[in-house]
Amino acid sequence: GESVGLHLPTLSVQEGDNSIINCAYSNSASDYFIWYKQESGKGPQFIIDIRSNMDKRQGQRVTVLLNKTVKHLSLQIAATQPGDSAVYFCAETDSGGGADGLTFGKGTHLIIQP
Amino acid sequence: DSGVTQTPKHLITATGQRVTLRCSPRSGDLSVYWYQQSLDQGLQFLIQYYNGEERAKGNILERFSAQQFPDLHSELNLSSLELGDSALYFCASSPRGRALMSHEQYFGPGTRLTVT
């Protein structure tokens, strides 16, 4: 994906293994969280979301876990494929009042090794 | 393809100039958001419009402004451009309004602005 920041964390995994990408958020008032995938030259692509009244949500090959106590979010990707190579961002917002601009994390570069 | 379109894809201009970036949201989406992605600041929220009205402001400079038109497309105006304004500018839209509990935002392909 587009390089974000000079020191983007990198996670390297073998094809077929599971990947876990972590994210810490700072705003205790945030009640909605999204994971995005950004490939090189493209805009962020919605993967999965979760509301603060849940602690786990599953999609196709992806699972998001939310721990509000420690303000931590994780994205698990099962059976990682070459097409999963990208930069992954977590995003948060306090959606009350209808103003829900997202605050993004710095991103993690996921590299899939054959 | 998210359904959000942005023009132009690339824009090269000189310092001090003014440019306008255009965004068409997904069909039926009432909310439009603008974000800036730069190497040093990452992805930052600039401004949100909902059905033609400004709803929220983020880290938007006073030299920047936006509007949303009756047909729901939006424009981001950047003036008195500086070298540091070089970045990717993304527009996103949300079904919020059609389904009040929906907050997911879908991003366009972006406009790459280079200020020389």
Side-chain angles (χ1 to χ4, degrees):
Chain A
E2 293 291 342
S3 177
V4 178
L6 293 176
H7 303 288
L8 199 63
T10 298
L11 176 64
S12 183
V13 299
Q14 296 286 329
E15 182 178 350
D17 287 351
N18 297 335
S19 302
I20 299 176
I21 301 171
N22 295 302
C23 175
Y25 66 94
S26 56
N27 186 359
S28 298
S30 290
D31 61 355
Y32 180 69
F33 306 86
I34 308 179
W35 280 98
Y36 284 94
K37 171 186 180 183
Q38 188 175 26
E39 297 174 285
S40 181
K42 297 184 178 180
Q45 176 188 350
F46 175 90
I47 301 174
I48 191 168
D49 60 358
I50 189 168
R51 302 184 190 284
S52 58
N53 61 353
M54 303 171 69
D55 53 21
K56 180 179 180 179
R57 190 166 187 223
Q58 289 184 292
Q60 187 175 11
R61 279 202 311 120
V62 295
T63 300
V64 55
L65 299 178
L66 174 62
N67 186 329
K68 295 181 290 293
T69 302
V70 295
K71 295 203 286 279
H72 183 267
L73 198 64
S74 69
L75 176 70
Q76 301 176 3
I77 305 174
T80 313
Q81 303 169 357
D84 295 329
S85 290
V87 177
Y88 289 81
F89 295 95
C90 65
E92 61 178 296
T93 188
D94 174 4
S95 62
D100 52 359
L102 296 170
T103 299
F104 279 83
K106 291 297 184 185
T108 296
H109 189 188
L110 178 63
I111 296 172
I112 312 303
Q113 297 191 353
Chain B
D1 185 357
S2 67
V4 178
T5 61
Q6 290 186 248
T7 56
K9 281 190 176 181
H10 303 277
L11 198 50
I12 301 175
T13 189
T15 54
Q17 295 299 305
R18 171 190 169 95
V19 297
T20 298
L21 313 183
R22 183 187 169 101
C23 167
S24 292
R26 298 186 325 155
S27 177
D29 283 358
L30 298 178
S31 278
V32 169
Y33 310 76
W34 286 97
Y35 292 85
Q36 179 193 59
Q37 186 174 36
S38 62
L39 284 175
D40 56 347
Q41 297 293 326
L43 262 163
Q44 290 204 316
F45 167 64
L46 297 178
I47 196 164
Q48 175 193 359
Y49 276 81
Y50 174 76
N51 202 20
E53 295 189 359
E54 182 184 302
R55 181 59 62 94
K57 274 187 173 180
N59 298 319
I60 189 166
L61 300 172
E62 286 192 8
R63 300 184 285 108
F64 296 0
S65 65
Q67 53 185 330
Q68 186 180 27
F69 295 87
D71 66 354
L72 300 178
H73 90 272
S74 178
E75 293 181 353
L76 179 67
N77 302 297
L78 315 176
S79 62
S80 302
L81 285 167
E82 302 174 0
L83 296 178
D85 297 327
S86 295
L88 275 164
Y89 291 85
F90 289 105
C91 169
S93 75
S94 170
R96 184 172 177 81
R98 290 191 287 120
L100 289 178
M101 293 305 291
S102 296
H103 298 284
E104 64 266 30
Q105 296 179 25
Y106 296 92
F107 282 72
T111 293
R112 180 178 291 280
L113 174 66
T114 303
V115 182
T116 61

